[in-house]
Amino acid sequence: MIGQRAAAGRGASTPPGGALIPFPTVDEVSRHCLSDDEPESVHIEVHLPGRVDPARLRAAFRRALRTHPRALMREVPGRRHRRSFAWELTGEPDSEPVSFAGHGPDALARARARALDACPPLTLSPPMRLEAVELDGTGTGTGTGTGTETGTGAGTVLLLTMHHTALDAPSGLRVLATTAEQYGGEAALPVPGRVRPAPSGPTTGGTGRTVRTRPVRVAPDARPAPVRARAAGNGMLQLDLPVPRRAARAGGLPLWTVNDQLLVATALTVGRWNVAHGRPAGPVQLTMPVDDRPRGTEMPMGNGTRLVEVAMAADDPSDAELLIGERPDPAAVARLLRTTAGRTRALTSVHGAPMGAGADLLTAPLLPVGIRGVLTRGARWAAAPWTSTALVTNIGRVPYALDFGDAGRATAVWFSAPARMPRGLSVAAASTGGRLHVTLRWSRALLGDAAGADLAGLFEESLAAADPTADGARSTHDNHKGAS
């Protein structure tokens, strides 16, 4: 049975059909904490310059799913007194997973809204859906937020929505890459594996978690508290930005990476936002997913990241005031970047349980799942004050060509991660063609759409400030924003 499960999870070409896989820790914790008010969805959108053929796309997506049979799964029904949740691998989709949303000025905004508001059900295989939206270049669309629609030129947007209890963004991107290979009819070049630099200093033990102080929360907007409490769902806004320039190297390693700049930009955003709203600037603690899986067709599907917590505090306390001003001090930013780079190198080099030993204990099959669910939700409520300030997830340079033949290669790739309370904010980034595609997603119980757009603008300014070599001089006017 172990061999069958391992092959199923690693992209075996022969669908196992009917094999059962117990929920891993991450899946079970997510399953226990689901809420209708804040759907646990992950969305990926791939922008193509041309049109796709519906029949070819449907066939290519089905072949891609068969290539990754671990994605063809559904939750096995059962009672609360059973000892574990389980996935059943089906070998074939239970229903047609590909649909065509048509075209029009608001088609993409509506598809994005569905991605945020409606998760694919866990009871049907696969727990994902793919929508194709044709863009005619004539509309701007406002969706459910503010701003203009990203990617309003002619072409097609492929929008993949997944239930995060089952799959994460790297898994979905791998399925889309295989779909592109099947659609275009050409095998992609081998994808190099990830290389983690050796730590440059002492590392923390266990999972690398460093939670010691109560993190600051993102300040809510000015709506009355009862209004915010009744708000449901997530808002989202996308930014198309230049990729920050590479930092100089020291001792064979860069002084800092784009990922470190994203972390620092998020910390600066939170600090400056909170000060403007009469709240403390820090301490800021950011959750960062780390993914060590291979990127080829053998990539294990599912939730394959481990979560580490990055304390975003300057070594010199006097830097705190210099970082939250209207123009953050470049020297203080550079010092925070170096400190952050050292922390992230240490954290990513330490392997451990995806969510820590506590989550493993809560999900151990010693008690029925109903009782474990009560305990897990209670632990989540008790730990809420120490939950990190925000989630920052960075895929980096998209490692796949995403070449759909006559429909063209991807010109942009955005994705978003859930933004459930009490954290309420996620920042997701990927780069394609020398552009950095960033998505800010927020809980509407924390921010309304207008406030979310203001926060996104502040993030853009903070990311420019997180390039101290340019002294914050990067233009903030060449971006193309989208909201839904």
Side-chain angles (χ1 to χ4, degrees), residues 386-412:
W386 288 271
T387 300
S388 66
T389 309
L391 170 73
V392 179
T393 176
N394 175 33
I395 288 178
R397 185 180 63 83
V398 175
Y400 313 114
L402 295 175
D403 188 345
F404 282 79
D406 50 12
R409 288 193 175 199
T411 57

Side-chain angles (χ1 to χ4, degrees), residues 353-423:
M355 300 185 74
D360 284 351
L361 180 63
L362 281 171
T363 58
L366 305 175
L367 298 170
V369 295
I371 296 176
R372 298 209 302 270
V374 172
L375 294 175
T376 301
R377 289 186 291 273
R380 184 174 184 267
W381 177 84
W386 288 271
T387 300
S388 66
T389 309
L391 170 73
V392 179
T393 176
N394 175 33
I395 288 178
R397 185 180 63 83
V398 175
Y400 313 114
L402 295 175
D403 188 345
F404 282 79
D406 50 12
R409 288 193 175 199
T411 57
V413 177
W414 276 273
F415 78 101
S416 74
R420 297 181 60 187
M421 296 293 284
R423 189 180 287 125

Side-chain angles (χ1 to χ4, degrees), residues 15 62 66 72 74 89-95 125-126:
R62 281 180 175 263
R66 295 189 194 104
L72 280 166
R74 63 184 172 222
L89 304 186
T90 62
E92 292 289 339
D94 289 332
S95 59
S125 172

Side-chain angles (χ1 to χ4, degrees), residues 48-53 56 103 133-137 153-157 183 404 406-408:
L48 303 174
R51 303 280 195 232
V52 295
D53 177 81
R56 283 175 61 194
H103 51 83
V133 182
E134 291 186 0
L135 303 179
D136 55 18
T156 304
V157 174
Y183 185 95
F404 282 79
D406 50 12

Side-chain angles (χ1 to χ4, degrees), residues 54-267:
R56 283 175 61 194
L57 181 63
R58 287 192 171 102
F61 192 65
R62 281 180 175 263
R63 288 194 296 269
L65 290 172
R66 295 189 194 104
T67 304
H68 304 284
R70 176 63 168 76
L72 280 166
M73 60 184 178
R74 63 184 172 222
E75 182 186 338
V76 177
R79 298 182 182 276
R80 290 172 58 86
H81 61 259
R82 66 192 187 276
R83 288 303 177 96
S84 65
F85 294 108
W87 298 115
E88 178 185 13
L89 304 186
T90 62
E92 292 289 339
D94 289 332
S95 59
E96 176 54 59
V98 180
S99 63
F100 290 80
H103 51 83
D106 296 323
L108 181 54
R110 292 194 301 269
R112 286 174 177 156
R114 286 190 293 273
L116 288 140
D117 296 340
C119 274
L122 295 175
T123 53
L124 293 178
S125 172
M128 64 169 72
R129 63 174 180 267
L130 180 64
E131 293 188 69
V133 182
E134 291 186 0
L135 303 179
D136 55 18
T138 59
T140 57
T142 57
T144 57
T146 60
T148 58
E149 197 173 67
T150 307
T152 53
T156 304
V157 174
L158 301 180
L159 202 151
L160 183 70
T161 305
M162 299 166 290
H163 202 304
H164 200 10
T165 300
L167 297 160
D168 57 14
S171 295
L173 194 58
R174 176 63 256 186
V175 171
L176 286 173
T178 306
T179 302
E181 295 171 22
Q182 297 290 340
Y183 185 95
E186 293 186 12
L189 295 174
V191 181
R194 291 202 158 195
V195 177
R196 297 288 180 196
S200 57
T203 62
T204 56
T207 61
R209 291 173 180 271
T210 58
V211 180
R212 291 185 176 89
T213 58
R214 183 167 172 167
V216 72
R217 304 256 68 83
V218 176
D221 61 21
R223 292 173 298 164
V227 174
R228 290 199 307 271
R230 291 193 297 269
N234 289 174
M236 178 176 75
L237 196 144
Q238 295 162 312
L239 301 173
D240 180 359
L241 303 167
V243 175
R245 293 178 298 178
R246 289 181 178 270
R249 288 182 171 268
L253 294 174
L255 293 176
W256 53 76
T257 65
V258 172
N259 187 70
D260 298 322
Q261 290 174 290
L262 288 165
L263 292 167
V264 168
T266 304

Side-chain angles (χ1 to χ4, degrees), residues 261-330:
Q261 290 174 290
L262 288 165
L263 292 167
V264 168
T266 304
L268 295 178
T269 300
V270 172
R272 298 166 71 195
W273 174 269
N274 281 6
V275 168
H277 289 78
R279 296 294 184 93
V284 173
Q285 191 95 13
L286 300 177
T287 295
M288 181 182 77
V290 179
D291 189 4
D292 297 311
R293 289 173 290 182
R295 288 296 185 260
T297 54
E298 77 280 8
M299 176 183 179
M301 296 287 103
N303 286 302
T305 58
R306 52 192 169 92
L307 303 178
V308 299
E309 309 293 343
V310 186
M312 300 302 300
D315 288 335
D316 185 348
S318 64
D319 279 350
E321 291 297 322
L322 299 175
L323 291 167
I324 59 175
E326 184 176 351
R327 292 180 61 84
D329 179 72

